[in-house]
Amino acid sequence: MVTIGRATVRDADPAVLYRILRLRTQVFVHEQRIVDEEEIDGRDLEDTTTLFWVEENGEVLATLRLLQDDVPAHVGRVATAQQARGRGLAADLVRAALEHAGTDVAISAQAYLEGWYGRLGFVRTGENYLEAGIDHVPMLFTRP
């Protein structure tokens, strides 16, 4: 059974938190070659950060974090395990985060995913830029 979880780092089950960080390390550090200093940036520890994840049979298949220290809020660290891609899990998480935020939400989207985020209601707000050596585009979801 697939479930969506949501918690701050302080409230997260340590085993789930471990699986979230393991998945993010797999996707961002091993697959995308982002150095771990940029991936583990300390923002997860902030009281205004909420982690979201999809879990199935005790395995975290997708995750993201929502930073709510400012308006607009910011979605980031969207990651899906290779074996779970194409199932719509990340889209489900983004929708859950948008609902939870209750405000406009920005994202620094990897440029190749601009169309995917566009289908979720995000629009481009500026020019492409490099972040962690990867082409990104700023996007915004405006709350109706």
Side-chain angles (χ1 to χ4, degrees):
M1 178 175 184
V2 174
T3 60
I4 293 179
R6 178 184 81 212
T8 64
V9 166
R10 285 174 184 74
D11 295 332
D13 176 284
V16 170
L17 182 58
Y18 171 82
R19 291 191 294 271
I20 289 169
L21 293 175
R22 184 178 66 192
L23 173 59
R24 283 176 31 185
T25 300
Q26 178 60 42
V27 171
F28 298 121
V29 176
H30 297 290
E31 287 181 33
Q32 298 181 359
R33 304 287 184 224
I34 296 171
V35 295
D36 59 355
E37 290 85 8
E38 293 177 12
E39 162 51 25
I40 307 298
D41 62 0
R43 300 290 316 263
D44 297 300
L45 297 172
E46 296 173 8
D47 292 335
T48 55
T49 299
T50 305
L51 302 175
F52 290 78
W53 66 92
V54 173
E55 196 168 4
E56 183 177 60
N57 300 322
E59 184 179 2
V60 171
L61 299 177
T63 187
L64 65 74
R65 72 179 181 189
L66 176 67
L67 306 176
Q68 291 186 275
D69 58 329
D70 205 355
V71 174
H74 188 91
V75 165
R77 302 304 197 266
V78 181
T80 303
Q82 280 184 332
Q83 73 275 16
R85 293 178 188 160
R87 294 176 51 187
L89 301 177
D92 290 344
L93 285 180
V94 170
R95 287 185 196 102
L98 294 174
E99 184 177 321
H100 178 77
T103 187
D104 295 351
V105 178
I107 190 163
S108 299
Q110 292 187 10
Y112 81 96
L113 292 169
E114 181 177 358
W116 185 83
Y117 284 109
R119 290 189 293 280
L120 293 170
F122 287 85
V123 295
R124 173 191 279 265
T125 58
E127 298 299 316
N128 287 39
Y129 60 94
L130 284 180
E131 183 177 312
I134 298 171
D135 191 25
H136 282 72
V137 60
M139 300 184 81
L140 182 69
F141 173 87
T142 303
R143 188 127 188 113

